C-alpha cells in the first residue's frame, strides 16, 4: 500500500479517529507533544537545523500509528525525508499538513 504523499488542504472538515478506550488517558499528552513538534520543527527550520527535523519526523513515524494516528506516522516519514535531504520547502509543506491534521482531528473512543 502506498503512503499518501499529498499533505492535504486546510479545509474545516473534521478527521474522525476511533481509538480504544484503554488509551484514553494518554492521548491528550500525545497530541500535546505533536503540537510541540510543530513549534520545534519551525524553530529548527529557521535555524537550518535539519537534523532536528529528521529526528522529530523519525519519532512521529515510529509513534503515530502505535497510538492510532496513521496519518501522523505518514507525515513523520515525509518530514524525516525532508530533513535528510535538507529540503526546506518540503519541511514547510509537511509541517503545515501536521498542523492542519492536529487542528481537525476528532477523537472518539470505543
Amino acid at each position: 500500500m502506498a503512503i499518501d504523499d499529498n499533505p492535504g488542504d486546510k479545509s474545516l472538515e473534521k478527521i474522525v479517529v476511533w481509538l480504544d478506550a484503554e488509551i484514553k488517558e494518554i492521548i491528550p499528552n500525545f497530541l500535546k507533544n505533536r503540537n510541540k513538534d510543530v513549534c520545534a520543527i519551525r524553530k529548527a527550520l529557521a535555524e537550518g537545523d535539519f537534523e532536528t527535523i529528521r529526528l522529530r519526523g523519525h519519532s512521529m513515524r515510529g509513534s503515530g500509528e502505535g497510538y492510532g494516528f496513521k496519518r501522523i506516522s505518514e507525515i513523520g516519514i515525509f518530514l524525516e525525508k525532508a530533513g535528510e535531504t535538507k529540503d526546506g520547502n518540503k519541511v514547510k509543506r509537511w509541517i503545515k499538513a501536521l498542523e492542519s491534521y492536529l487542528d481537525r482531528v476528532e477523537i472518539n473512543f470505543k
Side-chain angles (χ1 to χ4, degrees), residues 29-108:
N29 196 48
F30 175 78
L31 294 174
K32 181 179 175 183
N33 286 332
R34 300 302 64 81
N35 279 299
K36 287 180 182 178
D37 285 334
V38 169
C39 295
I41 292 170
R42 282 205 170 111
K43 182 177 186 268
L45 182 60
E47 296 172 353
D49 182 359
F50 287 95
E51 180 63 7
T52 292
I53 295 166
R54 184 191 72 76
L55 290 171
R56 293 279 180 148
H58 180 80
S59 177
M60 281 187 278
R61 170 185 163 184
S63 66
E65 196 162 358
Y67 282 86
F69 299 96
K70 181 179 178 183
R71 187 63 178 153
I72 289 176
S73 285
E74 292 173 349
I75 292 169
I77 289 169
F78 290 105
L79 282 167
E80 182 179 14
K81 287 180 184 177
E84 287 173 358
T85 60
K86 299 180 177 168
D87 189 331
N89 288 328
K90 285 187 179 175
V91 171
K92 288 177 191 174
R93 175 181 175 195
W94 288 104
I95 200 61
K96 285 179 185 177
L98 177 60
E99 187 173 42
S100 176
Y101 179 87
L102 293 171
D103 287 344
R104 296 182 299 134
V105 70
E106 180 180 296
I107 312 302
N108 290 301

